[in-house]
Amino acid sequence: MALSRLARLGALATAAASFLVISASSAPTPGAEGIGDSYFPSLGNGGFDARHYALDVAYAPDTDRLDGRTTLTARATQNLSSFDLDLQKLGVTKIEVNGRRAGFTRAGDEIRITPPGVLRKGREFTVTVAYGGIPEPLGGPILFGSAYGWMKTADGVFVVCEPNAASTWFPSSDHPADKATYDIRIKAPKGLTAVSNGRLVSMYNEGDTTVTHWRESKPMATYLATATIGKFDVKTGKAPSGIPVYVAIDPVLGNSTSVDVYAVTAEATDYWSQIFGPYPFEETGAIVDDMSDAGFSLEVQSKPAYSAVRNETTIVHELAHQWFGDSVSVERWKDVWLNEGFATYAQWLWAEHRGTRSAHDSFVAAYGARAADNPFWQVKVADPQRDTMFDTAVYNRGAMTLQALRERIGDTAFFKLLPTWTKLHRYANANTGDFIRLAEQISGQRLDDLFQKWLYTTGKPAL
């Protein structure tokens, strides 16, 4: 049917208006300075999705100076006029985007980068940052009052970065919701060993230094990256299942560790593979360093890092994190019980496996250990707040939640739930609501009351 001239003009005007709206909506804008985490508003970055980090770092233990060059490959999630990276303290000398010089400004721990042209939504781009200086560890109430991050040792450096210290040594989108793969090249003086994530690709000498290249081919949260350097006795091999094992132990510790780290690492990795689902990474192992200032161990991806191994329980806890925290990571830090509650519950499962105490008895003991007026019961596990996100309640009441769930839905459903959870969210991120929905789906039960009582309500629950 032919349109009248007036109708045609109206149609053209409508189309033009639509075009203007579309054009306005696709205009390039700056990426957000943070990913939207209430605990760490400026951590992570908006406007892009990190895909791969190529880290080149050179460290001089005698001066504690780090010189680095980081190339991040990312995909723009909007038309970007500028974007941020997180980097604390270290000085930046040059930035390139897609091989061309880019402008940048600093505001605290944020680097605002202005590329030479618009970065189009859906397109991949690279940003290369040259930087250097003396990294400073972080401190404060978050991690048991302990220092963490890039920490100098007698012969090198111990690098453990949960929750917000990866950006003390490389520019990044420093939040677990933005995972990526990694190539990490570490240049250190000859005679020292540099240990990082994934598998060892190559090691060669360059003058009076040794360059070590590690590759983590599975997505990894920034806080799980390490570049630990020092003198280590290294043992490699395979677990009974065939999973490669790499264990590095500081010789200063000698026989001070009361546990065979290599043997327990191999055994626990295989056992958790039966309970939690297939091991998610290419290699398992451990880094045991003489670091008195760090009063904790950390679930570094593929090789948990121990400031000193206290007992077998510590090892099985950190290895359980390879599934709960490393492969399946939190979307926001308030859900950290999905990491720590599960790893603590793994300790109870290990005791049950060893035949020393049932998980039920561990639950009863943990429940009875504190009176109703103990501050322990005043932490809301599902949202413990930033400065108490690693409170013992997150660990132990989180584990109690899982045992309460197990006793409610039965062993068949419970031990189907755990590997289903790790399979469903493998190499990705999840939240507490996701876990509750899956638990209800697998059990066929309404579980709101159980999770409300154990995770969302303060006070000592009635049994």
Side-chain angles (χ1 to χ4, degrees):
M1 181 183 295
L3 291 174
S4 67
R5 182 172 182 274
L6 187 59
R8 287 197 301 272
L9 288 173
L12 288 171
T14 300
S18 299
F19 176 78
L20 290 172
V21 170
I22 293 170
S23 296
S25 68
S26 61
T29 54
E33 70 171 19
I35 212 162
D37 192 313
S38 60
Y39 288 9
F40 301 95
S42 64
L43 278 192
N45 304 107
F48 66 87
D49 173 30
R51 309 301 289 270
H52 182 77
Y53 289 92
L55 307 182
D56 289 271
V57 295
Y59 179 62
D62 55 340
T63 63
D64 203 27
R65 181 175 176 86
L66 172 73
D67 287 291
R69 178 183 172 89
T70 291
T71 298
L72 167 62
T73 301
R75 181 179 59 83
T77 57
Q78 66 187 62
N79 289 331
L80 282 172
S81 58
S82 63
F83 61 95
D84 282 21
L85 290 177
D86 304 310
L87 184 65
Q88 304 183 46
K89 311 297 185 182
L90 301 177
V92 175
T93 56
K94 183 181 179 181
I95 296 180
E96 294 179 338
V97 176
N98 290 333
R100 298 173 62 192
R101 194 78 177 245
F104 67 92
T105 57
R106 296 285 305 251
D109 298 336
E110 296 286 319
I111 308 173
R112 170 66 61 164
I113 300 167
T114 303
V118 174
L119 300 176
R120 297 296 179 188
K121 180 179 179 180
R123 302 273 184 88
E124 282 200 350
F125 65 92
T126 60
V127 52
T128 301
V129 182
Y131 60 98
I134 298 177
E136 297 180 17
L138 303 183
I142 295 176
L143 204 66
F144 324 116
S146 174
Y148 61 102
W150 186 276
M151 293 182 288
K152 187 171 176 58
T153 63
D155 56 10
V157 64
F158 182 65
V159 185
V160 283
C161 298
E162 188 177 21
N164 61 329
S167 48
T168 63
W169 65 282
F170 68 97
S172 60
S173 181
D174 193 8
H175 192 278
D178 201 2
K179 301 165 81 167
T181 55
Y182 284 74
D183 277 281
I184 301 175
R185 293 175 177 84
I186 307 164
K187 182 183 287 188
K190 280 183 180 178
L192 299 182
T193 300
V195 189
S196 190
N197 312 88
R199 62 182 177 86
L200 182 61
V201 176
S202 64
M203 183 168 59
Y204 57 91
N205 293 327
E206 217 176 63
D208 59 355
T209 64
T210 298
V211 180
T212 309
H213 176 192
W214 293 87
R215 175 171 295 152
E216 178 49 86
S217 63
K218 307 302 181 185
M220 178 168 71
T222 48
Y223 80 90
L224 298 169
T226 191
T228 292
I229 301 166
K231 294 179 180 178
F232 290 103
D233 292 330
V234 175
K235 181 177 180 180
T236 62
K238 290 186 177 181
S241 66
I243 298 170
V245 182
Y246 182 105
V247 171
I249 301 178
D250 190 329
V252 170
L253 296 174
N255 296 320
S256 64
T257 57
S258 59
V259 60
D260 186 333
V261 179
Y262 183 95
V264 175
T265 295
E267 182 184 358
T269 299
D270 279 358
Y271 183 66
W272 293 147
S273 297
Q274 298 172 36
I275 304 300
F276 303 145
Y279 182 67
F281 306 118
E282 290 184 90
E283 185 169 88
T284 187
I287 305 167
V288 186
D289 207 352
D290 180 29
M291 182 59 200
S292 59
D293 289 344
F296 62 95
S297 300
L298 184 71
E299 62 270 21
V300 166
Q301 187 158 309
S302 76
K303 296 176 191 66
Y306 307 93
S307 55
V309 174
R310 299 170 187 84
N311 50 46
E312 185 174 296
T313 300
T314 303
I315 298 175
V316 301
H317 177 106
E318 301 306 337
L319 285 171
H321 273 307
Q322 302 303 304
W323 287 262
F324 304 105
D326 295 12
S327 178
V328 182
S329 303
V330 294
E331 286 184 356
R332 297 294 182 267
W333 277 114
K334 70 181 181 67
D335 289 315
V336 68
W337 87 276
L338 290 171
N339 298 0
E340 299 302 347
F342 280 65
T344 302
Y345 187 68
Q347 297 172 213
W348 298 1
L349 290 179
W350 186 258
E352 194 167 79
H353 167 62
R354 288 292 202 209
T356 56
R357 185 160 72 169
S358 70
H360 172 80
D361 287 346
S362 294
F363 168 76
V364 171
Y367 180 85
R370 299 169 181 86
D373 60 354
N374 192 297
F376 172 91
W377 300 107
Q378 298 309 310
V379 176
K380 187 183 294 185
V381 177
D383 191 2
Q385 304 306 305
R386 169 181 163 146
D387 287 353
T388 50
M389 61 188 285
F390 296 108
D391 189 274
T392 55
V394 175
Y395 291 68
N396 289 287
R397 188 166 173 172
M400 285 185 242
T401 302
L402 293 170
Q403 181 61 21
L405 174 64
R406 177 182 173 182
E407 296 186 10
R408 172 81 162 265
I409 67 176
D411 278 11
T412 300
F414 184 78
F415 287 106
K416 179 181 179 183
L417 171 62
L418 297 183
T420 302
W421 172 253
T422 63
K423 180 180 180 180
L424 189 62
H425 301 286
R426 192 175 175 90
Y427 309 132
N429 300 81
N431 59 45
T432 300
D434 294 328
F435 183 72
I436 293 172
R437 283 187 291 274
L438 184 63
E440 291 184 330
Q441 177 186 329
I442 287 177
S443 68
Q445 298 182 34
R446 291 294 301 273
L447 301 169
D448 292 355
D449 60 319
L450 184 148
F451 288 107
Q452 184 66 35
K453 179 168 73 171
W454 287 98
L455 295 180
Y456 292 96
T457 305
T458 58
K460 187 171 183 175
L463 291 183

